[in-house]
Amino acid sequence: MLPSSQAQGNEPRQRHWLLRALLVLLGAQLSLSLLAAWTGPALAGQQQVVTLELLGIALWQGLWVLLRSLPLLLLLLWPLLRVLGPRRRWWAFASVGTLWLLLQAALELFFQQAGNPLGADLFGYSWQEVTTTLAGAQVDRLPGLTLLLWLLPCLLLWLGLLWALRDTPGGSAPRRRATLGAVLGASLLAWLVPLSAGLTWLPEQALREQACNKLAWFAADLWRWQQRSLLPVAQAQAQAGPVDADSAGRDPQHPFVRAERTPDVLGTHFAATSDGRAPNIVLILVEGLGRSFSGPEAPLGSFTPFLDELATQSLYFDNFLANQGRTFAVLPSLLGSLPLAEEGFSALPAPLPEHPGLYRLLGGQGYQGVFYNGTDTAFDNERGYLQSQGVERIIDLTNFGPGYERNPYSQWGYPDAELVSRVIADLPQLQPPFVLGMQTISMHTSYRFPGQAHWRQRLDGHLRQLRLPASRQQAVQAQADIYSTILYTDGQLQRFFAAARQQPWHANTIYLITGDHRLPEIPIGEHIERYHVPLLIHSPLLRQPARIGGVSSHLDVLPSLMALLSARYGLQRPAQTPWLGRGLDLSPEFSSTGHFPFKQTKTSAEEYLDGRWWLRDGQLYALEKGMRLTAMDDPAARAQVQARLDAYQRGNHALLQHHRLMAAPSPLQAYDPAQVEQRPEPVPASQALPGLGVEDVSLQPGPATVRLQATFINGDATPSAWFVPLAVLVDEQGNERGEVSGPALQLPARQRQRVHLVLPLPPGAAGSWSVSVRPSDPQTGRANGRGRYRLALELPVPTPEKAP
């Protein structure tokens, strides 16, 4: 039974109850933080030391957010606690504490369903779009987890408050006041500690997101969003300047407009069509398709066997980037090469600004335009964008037609099997030349579809073929719904191509396949993975396949495609365009010479890539081979990229202010080789970044040693400091189990050197270990350059010998 206020004389003995109640709230808060961190997806297959670090940081985050919020909680409670008796105090404190815990639990559950913390992007969508997204979540698949996260911390709070309000004597009044003052002082000091404190110790973005307190993340992102602004009108006009190096003299009201001079880099790869007409274009946009789990040497293992086979018959772009971290901007980026506006180009008020996009340009030159999507294209205003481009037929959820089964496990609409069947049914009616777009949806929450049991069995067989390390197999099995969905969508693409190859127009068709962004539910190692997607250009007209190492983005597709169609097949392209892209980089080796913006969500701050430099939240990173970002401290380079970003934002502001991209439609013209813009020459990787670093590493484990080859590079114009090549072996628990170093070296300016090392293995070494390689100072042993850390090393577990 709850305590009652029977005698006013007992009140002084109970005045210490507030401190005890706060202690109980702390225990409930830490239990919620621990449960959320423990049940998140990023821990699957992680080393024990990483697990312990994550759990410890999650507890610290829980304490930190409670201390920061304590003044607000006490402000809400204090008037009630001063006038209410013990019984009502219990209800008041329990009510506020329960709401506090449920709010955090809801944000944690959102993270576990969506794969990323909820932030200000919540306010970038309409209520209907929010409910559609939430309806596709997998909460119903996790009833035990739901109850655990929502009820256990609350139960601890309620029971603990019964203990806190027991009629027991407390300490002296001065001592209680001192203790309460210390608690309030700690809460104020917590405001001096940043949100990222401790999180930087974790090696991967997915681990950092899982460990952080989602309420703190939400509040910080909401504050950033409220404070964000493009340049005010007067300031923008006063600071008007070029959008890029070749924009001097442009109209300040339309700063993106430039002469269209993109060179035709694709033409030499394509033969003439058999009928002399321009080729058909089929654009397949795969929801959530990321490079980390698709394609040759995919870091997580590839789960798209059909696309992998098709890659060997295509132009395959290894280092390709989406310009958005969600679907909201993919159509304007891919089909229009357009700026991201404030919350995506399609979110601008109707009518959308006129511009020469793929459908409008080809439609004006005799192409039939069709677009298929199994969902409602009103989401993200995709329908509005397609209609503004004059697409003749848009087939989506609203007019899919009879005879097709909606996905009973998702509110999004029709699963990919039904979408492909719908498209296949219309293939014989297509009249060349045409441009056909198809946008899939199944690789999205809830990752459930009819017949999934069959694809789960296919997943088991595919895992056996991949021969992944044990830790990766464990991680895949923990997310079998997602990986079986990837296999399923890949299988539906195979069905589509099998049907398309039977059509008479197939021989004269160019197919482009890419992802809108990398799905977030599979843990992300580095931030750039969210944008890293494959691009395949496949066609019977292709002279020979090739793997492309140059870095390009969605913004580069339209300029290069129109250059190909005009230079090789006689179409025309605009004399002037507002396109941001400069065309695809077809360098066979890793190269990054372009510059373009990125935006992870509708409300997030823009990021920018300028050659090999990536700017995000004021921090400069170097884009290195293998699509890795390394934090750098180079004020000159940072100023260079910031100037590019500022210029882009000025142009973006002009778009928002005037609601126009061009003063008038540009006339079309034939391709003129004499008027094309020359692409920058690829810069060798060893000359692109300053300082000393490790470019790449290969590991060959044996029974007693690991043979290691590492390439060290010096990007400076002067000789490097002396260094020792050092490799460190780390076991599953994160303990260093050995190291090996080579002779001291000094690299000349702009040079690289391959180093061979043999790392001995301790007896009985087995399981998921790792190796770190770095240049080390010969005197101090500290790193004196960029290293490669926690490279996966899977050591086989010895098979026990059978008794004779």
Side-chain angles (χ1 to χ4, degrees), residues 16 30 138:
H16 69 293
L30 295 183
Q138 292 176 283

Side-chain angles (χ1 to χ4, degrees), residues 560-617:
S560 279
L561 189 57
M562 289 309 302
L564 167 68
L565 294 176
S566 57
R568 189 75 178 86
Y569 299 106
L571 295 186
Q572 293 185 316
R573 63 178 180 174
Q576 291 188 317
T577 69
W579 298 342
L580 267 64
R582 296 299 187 267
L584 298 167
D585 186 345
L586 265 66
S587 304
E589 300 297 328
F590 175 75
S591 170
S592 181
T593 58
H595 51 90
F596 24 75
F598 298 86
K599 195 174 180 70
Q600 180 168 329
T601 68
K602 285 186 175 184
T603 57
S604 62
E606 287 94 349
E607 305 169 46
Y608 206 86
L609 175 67
D610 184 7
R612 296 287 299 280
W613 300 113
W614 186 296
L615 187 65
R616 179 193 178 207
D617 293 337

Side-chain angles (χ1 to χ4, degrees), residues 708-727:
L708 180 151
Q709 296 185 49
T711 301
F712 290 81
I713 59 175
N714 174 24
D716 288 339
T718 57
S720 73
W722 283 90
F723 70 95
V724 171
L726 178 66

